[in-house]
Amino acid sequence: MESPSASFDREASEALNDAHSRLLLETLVSSTPVGLAVVDLEPRFVQVNDALADINGIPRAAHLGRKVQEIVPEMWPTLRPQYQRIMEGGAAQTVEVRGVTSKELGVERHFLVSYYPVRTGTGVLLGIGVIVVEVTEQRKAHDALVASEQRYRSLVEAMAQPVWTTNARGEVVEPAPRWMEFTGQTQAEHLGLGWLAAIHPDDRKRVVRGWVESLRTKTSYRGEFRLRFHAGGWRDVVGRAVPVFSDEGTIREWVSTAEDITERKQAEALAENERARLRSVLTSAPASIAILSGERQVFTLVNPLYKKLSGGAELMGVSMKDFESERAIEHSRLLDEAYTRGESFVEKEVPITINVGGAGEKATRRFDVAYQPLRDVSGHVDSVLSFAIDVTERVEAREKLEEWAASLRNQQQWLEAVLDRTPVAMILVEPGTGRILFANQVARKLAGGEIPEGLSEEAYNEGEHRFTDEAGRELRVDEIPGIRAVKGAPVHGEPVVWHTPTGRYSLLVEAAPLPAQHGHEEAVLLALQDVTELRKTQAQLQHAVSLRDEFLTVASHELKTPLTPLQLKLQSLVRDAQTEQTLEALRERVVRTSETISGQIRKMTTLINDLLEVTQLTGPSAPLQLEDVDLADVVRAVVERFQPQAAKAGCELIVEAAPGIVGRWDRHRLEQVATSLVSNAVKYGAGHPVMIRVGRHRGRARLSVRDEGIGIAPANLQAIFEKFTRAVSTRHYGGLGLGLFITRQIVEAHHGTLRVDSQPGQGATFIVELPLA
């Protein structure tokens, strides 16, 4: 039997063990890094540990006695069904929830929450036990991994060339859509090593040997072979395979591509044929042809006729500077001049003594010799082409013709008939007096039928015929090129603008004195070359170059603008990471910096997308994705996205949209149009309301966007729709000058119109009209 004291001691020991157990349990609950809580059936917090209090951002004592919806009001709609399910007799369950707590307002976080019923020994439900584990970072990492895999697969699918992956043994284990699309193989045919069957039988063994060697050495593979094409036949491709290693250094898989080089090889073959054809032409041409390379003038091509005229000497690889004859020295000097100056020129009727018989018989022939510099791929002169044509017969014929012409009569009538039909304005003027001796048809047409005679100032500047320079300044009589030529001054290619009753002509004036001969008086020949259209083209080209230069400047500025704050934010983040800060503070800093960086990246992406959009719109047009679209729905969606930006700019976006404005349009493209117009209105009309209206007008859908901003000058109302054209300074308003150009292209692709009504300082209204049918 036990003594009373022994019984007392046992009870005391049990009481001590219960207290000790409760202490251990409370210590475990309070110190565990997992959020723990017990709520009653209200539900109110009965027990909360420090970890859950930290997750909620509210002290532990402040939880006790308060309802769950008071502690996490924003998450309560998500949590309420779980509590209700347990109170209705449901079993324990773990779910993932997301929401915002008081710890980080505005920051969405992810949690794994377990719910289980708390019952008495008889099964009566007393409350609900809750276990909370934050998994925000794990969720972000998982989402990033999924996005990365999706981007990789999208990139692979977007590539024009076949792309496939194999396992470490070179076997295809996953379908390769691009490979199947290119080769026509089915999924079953190309799995495993079946993809090798699409390689040309004559190339297959070589490819397999190279592939096996790459598998053995774990090095990249590259080889050229013929690959079956789905439309029939074979295509030349360059195959490449790159190993992907695991962290342990073993090959996890191989990523392979096949670049189609069929057209390139065909082009190379065609180029080689062209070179062969050109060489054949040079060697068989009825002219003396040679190519001499470098400063030493080494013969690198000599055609048969050149060799024959050189007495049959073997010239290939020989330097022209090694010859000491007088003709060779002169020829070398001219070659050097063409090589140094980089300009071609022709020597006319050069007398050259050549061998014409086997017994040393010589004769002097006349040649026209052309010296043409040849340039390498970098644009530097590396050779000179010597091209000589025997013109002896032509010279002799001309000399005979000159003898016959000396004996001909009525030369004046013949010459005037020729000049009268010349497409260049020709005028013969008497020196000193300025009296017109002859004017051909072109000159009379420019002058409107009559040409002023004499040198008086009134005849030129007070009548219908005036002369100005290209800037529009009125020329004095002594400045007019024709008058100066009549007085004996040299005039060569001088520009002048001639204003006549028939129009305004930009001319280049050439003058040449004709001495008295063959019974004719001395005269001055004026040649007036009409370069009006050339000047217009030059102005257009200069304008295009100016637009290009301005665009490059703006594009450079706009693309670099987001980089500066991006770099500063990253540097600041690095400094914060290096200083002694709490993990929570650093996390908040990372989140804020990430948001700023994302904004700058979005800005750069928008600029780049605009450039890509322009490239697509100016190239072969992509088909529109037409569907039934409600224009009012498109506009409301765009306006909803712009509300934060408009509020920041102090703009109220007012929408008046009639219902039922439905047409067959491309929804995405119309969203671009609405986005561009609303964005411009907010940018240039900051601080004022923006009115957006959707309705019908004369059987067409109409979208108008009205702002009360700076307005547009009349001179720019059409120019703003051109590429890279801006009506405002880039210092005050960013962008590449592409938005309205892209907008107009999209509207016109829908057979619609885009116009603008505006006055400086009175805002602008952009109006889009689209066909409903």
Side-chain angles (χ1 to χ4, degrees):
M1 294 182 63
E2 295 180 351
S3 66
S5 61
S7 177
F8 174 80
D9 293 338
R10 184 178 59 190
E11 293 175 355
S13 176
E14 291 176 354
L16 180 60
N17 289 337
D18 290 341
H20 184 63
S21 297
R22 285 194 299 273
L23 177 61
L24 290 176
L25 180 60
E26 290 177 359
T27 302
L28 178 63
V29 169
S30 63
S31 61
T32 183
V34 177
L36 299 175
V38 177
V39 300
D40 58 19
L41 301 180
E42 290 301 328
R44 291 187 177 87
F45 284 101
V46 177
Q47 284 289 342
V48 177
N49 72 342
D50 292 334
L52 183 59
D54 182 65
I55 289 173
N56 292 335
I58 296 175
R60 179 170 173 269
H63 281 69
L64 300 178
R66 296 177 64 185
K67 293 185 177 182
V68 176
Q69 58 264 43
E70 297 176 7
I71 301 299
V72 283
E74 295 189 23
M75 295 183 63
W76 176 243
T78 302
L79 302 179
R80 180 178 179 179
Q82 308 303 327
Y83 285 99
Q84 188 67 32
R85 185 183 57 78
I86 296 295
M87 286 188 283
E88 291 176 355
Q93 186 178 5
T94 300
V95 296
E96 181 178 343
V97 298
R98 61 182 182 181
V100 178
T101 69
S102 298
K103 182 176 182 179
E104 293 182 274
L105 295 177
V107 178
E108 186 177 76
R109 300 157 68 192
H110 294 258
F111 306 94
L112 280 179
V113 185
S114 298
Y115 302 91
Y116 58 91
V118 178
R119 302 180 184 276
T120 65
T122 58
V124 177
L125 181 66
L126 296 177
I128 301 171
V130 182
I131 303 175
V132 181
V133 179
E134 183 171 358
V135 293
T136 303
E137 295 303 322
Q138 294 91 321
R139 171 54 60 183
K140 289 181 179 179
H142 176 268
D143 292 344
L145 179 59
V146 171
S148 176
E149 291 179 351
Q150 291 175 344
R151 283 195 298 271
Y152 167 74
R153 293 189 179 276
S154 298
L155 177 62
V156 169
E157 292 300 320
M159 293 181 67
Q161 56 186 250
V163 180
W164 71 101
T165 60
T166 67
N167 60 17
R169 297 187 301 276
E171 300 170 337
V172 174
V173 295
E174 293 183 358
R178 285 294 183 189
W179 174 272
M180 293 187 288
E181 179 182 344
F182 188 92
T183 63
Q185 280 189 312
T186 65
Q187 179 173 331
E189 289 174 340
H190 87 299
L191 290 178
L193 295 177
W195 60 275
L196 293 172
I199 298 174
H200 194 282
D202 295 342
D203 301 337
R204 195 174 300 152
K205 290 183 179 179
R206 172 171 50 82
V207 173
V208 169
R209 285 196 300 270
W211 181 237
V212 170
E213 180 64 16
S214 293
L215 292 176
R216 186 185 66 83
T217 59
K218 300 181 180 180
T219 57
S220 298
Y221 168 82
R222 184 187 185 281
E224 185 176 326
F225 52 86
R226 287 165 289 178
L227 188 62
R228 181 194 302 167
F229 193 55
H230 66 88
W234 304 88
R235 304 287 288 182
D236 292 299
V237 300
V238 172
R240 297 179 177 87
V242 179
V244 179
F245 293 94
S246 65
D247 294 339
E248 293 77 18
T250 60
I251 294 181
R252 186 171 68 242
E253 62 181 355
W254 293 78
V255 177
S256 306
T257 63
E259 178 187 0
D260 190 343
I261 60 170
T262 305
E263 283 73 18
R264 188 180 75 192
K265 293 195 68 173
Q266 292 174 350
E268 291 174 351
L270 180 62
E272 183 60 33
N273 290 337
E274 290 297 326
R275 284 193 292 268
R277 187 180 295 112
L278 176 60
R279 183 172 291 272
S280 175
V281 169
L282 292 178
T283 56
S284 60
S288 172
I289 301 174
I291 296 178
L292 300 98
S293 301
E295 296 182 354
R296 287 287 301 163
Q297 302 171 1
V298 176
F299 286 93
T300 54
L301 183 144
V302 178
N303 78 338
L305 184 56
Y306 192 101
K307 184 176 181 179
K308 178 181 178 181
L309 296 180
S310 301
E314 187 60 48
L315 300 175
M316 291 294 291
V318 178
S319 171
M320 175 62 75
K321 294 184 179 293
D322 293 339
F323 296 93
E324 298 179 353
S325 68
E326 181 179 348
R327 178 57 197 166
I329 294 174
E330 176 63 12
H331 190 45
S332 177
R333 184 188 67 81
L334 295 172
L335 288 168
D336 188 62
E337 181 179 349
Y339 186 90
T340 305
R341 290 170 50 193
E343 298 177 358
S344 61
F345 59 90
V346 179
E347 270 202 310
K348 296 286 189 179
E349 303 173 8
V350 179
I352 301 177
T353 301
I354 61 174
N355 295 322
V356 294
E361 183 182 355
K362 296 182 180 295
T364 300
R365 307 284 293 177
R366 298 287 184 126
F367 291 86
D368 281 353
V369 184
Y371 297 87
Q372 176 64 52
L374 303 178
R375 302 178 184 274
D376 58 20
V377 294
S378 61
H380 300 296
V381 176
D382 63 353
S383 304
V384 177
L385 171 69
S386 172
F387 188 96
I389 299 178
D390 190 338
V391 294
T392 304
E393 286 76 14
R394 189 186 71 188
V395 172
E396 292 173 350
R398 188 195 66 222
E399 291 173 349
K400 290 180 181 179
L401 183 62
E402 290 174 351
E403 293 174 0
W404 295 337
S407 62
L408 292 177
R409 300 179 180 179
N410 301 321
Q411 297 180 54
Q412 180 71 29
Q413 290 80 359
W414 176 82
L415 177 61
E416 289 182 358
V418 173
L419 294 178
D420 199 48
R421 289 164 175 78
T422 301
V424 177
M426 309 289 288
I427 303 175
L428 287 175
V429 185
E430 184 178 65
T433 66
R435 183 172 61 91
I436 305 298
L437 302 176
F438 170 80
N440 69 352
Q441 294 180 17
V442 177
R444 294 193 298 273
K445 182 178 179 180
L446 294 178
E450 46 181 279
I451 300 177
E453 296 186 3
L455 301 180
S456 67
E457 185 171 350
E458 294 77 15
Y460 291 96
N461 287 342
E462 292 185 1
E464 294 179 322
H465 298 81
R466 298 183 301 108
F467 291 90
T468 65
D469 61 17
E470 294 185 321
R473 183 182 65 85
E474 201 89 16
L475 297 182
R476 302 189 308 272
V477 171
D478 59 351
E479 293 179 320
I480 299 173
I483 302 299
R484 290 172 45 232
V486 169
K487 292 182 178 181
V491 174
H492 300 291
E494 295 195 12
V496 68
V497 179
W498 191 11
H499 302 262
T500 75
T502 60
R504 175 182 180 275
Y505 303 96
S506 294
L507 306 174
L508 290 180
V509 182
E510 286 279 348
L514 300 178
Q517 55 184 339
H518 308 300
H520 298 287
E521 299 177 352
E522 181 183 6
V524 174
L525 174 63
L526 297 178
L528 312 178
Q529 183 177 359
D530 187 359
V531 294
T532 304
E533 294 301 321
L534 178 61
R535 290 290 187 258
K536 292 179 181 178
T537 302
Q538 288 176 335
Q540 293 171 353
L541 290 174
Q542 290 172 353
H543 179 64
V545 171
S546 175
L547 286 179
R548 181 204 64 187
D549 293 341
E550 180 181 356
F551 163 70
L552 291 176
T553 301
V554 172
S556 174
H557 172 75
E558 289 296 321
L559 290 173
K560 285 195 283 187
T561 297
L563 294 178
T564 300
L566 185 62
Q567 184 177 14
L568 292 176
K569 287 292 183 180
L570 289 175
Q571 291 174 350
S572 176
L573 185 60
V574 170
R575 288 195 300 269
D576 291 341
Q578 293 172 343
T579 57
E580 295 184 0
Q581 296 189 13
T582 65
L583 180 59
E584 290 300 323
L586 182 59
R587 180 181 299 156
E588 292 177 359
R589 179 64 171 168
V590 168
V591 171
R592 291 196 302 271
T593 303
S594 298
E595 293 174 349
T596 302
I597 291 174
S598 297
Q600 298 300 331
I601 291 175
R602 285 194 298 271
K603 182 176 181 181
M604 292 187 68
T605 302
T606 300
L607 296 175
I608 295 171
N609 286 341
D610 280 349
L611 292 175
L612 292 176
E613 190 74 14
V614 168
T615 302
Q616 295 172 354
L617 289 173
T618 54
S621 57
L624 297 174
Q625 302 298 320
L626 299 180
E627 58 179 303
D628 291 333
V629 178
D630 190 322
L631 185 57
D633 290 346
V634 172
V635 170
R636 289 192 181 95
V638 171
V639 169
E640 182 65 23
R641 292 199 305 268
F642 267 88
Q643 289 296 349
Q645 180 179 340
K648 186 176 180 180
C651 293
E652 179 185 5
L653 301 181
I654 304 171
V655 179
E656 292 182 3
I661 308 299
V662 178
R664 294 287 293 175
W665 302 313
D666 187 321
R667 178 182 295 274
H668 172 67
R669 292 298 189 183
L670 289 190
E671 288 178 352
Q672 287 181 268
V673 171
T675 298
S676 175
L677 298 181
V678 174
S679 175
N680 276 356
V682 172
K683 179 191 295 185
Y684 299 112
H688 301 281
V690 175
M691 175 64 70
I692 303 103
R693 290 187 172 93
V694 177
R696 296 176 184 265
H697 181 73
R698 296 180 180 178
R700 293 165 68 89
R702 171 179 280 190
L703 164 64
S704 67
V705 180
R706 165 71 184 175
D707 66 75
E708 298 179 9
I710 60 176
I712 305 169
N716 294 324
L717 290 178
Q718 293 301 322
I720 59 175
F721 297 106
E722 299 298 330
K723 270 192 300 188
F724 313 134
T725 302
R726 307 169 54 84
V728 295
S729 170
T730 58
R731 296 183 57 187
H732 301 93
Y733 298 92
L736 298 176
L738 296 173
L740 290 177
F741 170 77
I742 294 173
T743 301
R744 187 187 67 175
Q745 296 296 314
I746 295 173
V747 172
E748 291 179 353
H750 285 82
H751 305 289
T753 61
L754 171 63
R755 60 185 175 88
V756 59
D757 295 329
S758 179
Q759 290 291 334
Q762 298 181 16
T765 302
F766 286 85
I767 300 172
V768 175
E769 291 188 353
L770 298 170
L772 286 171

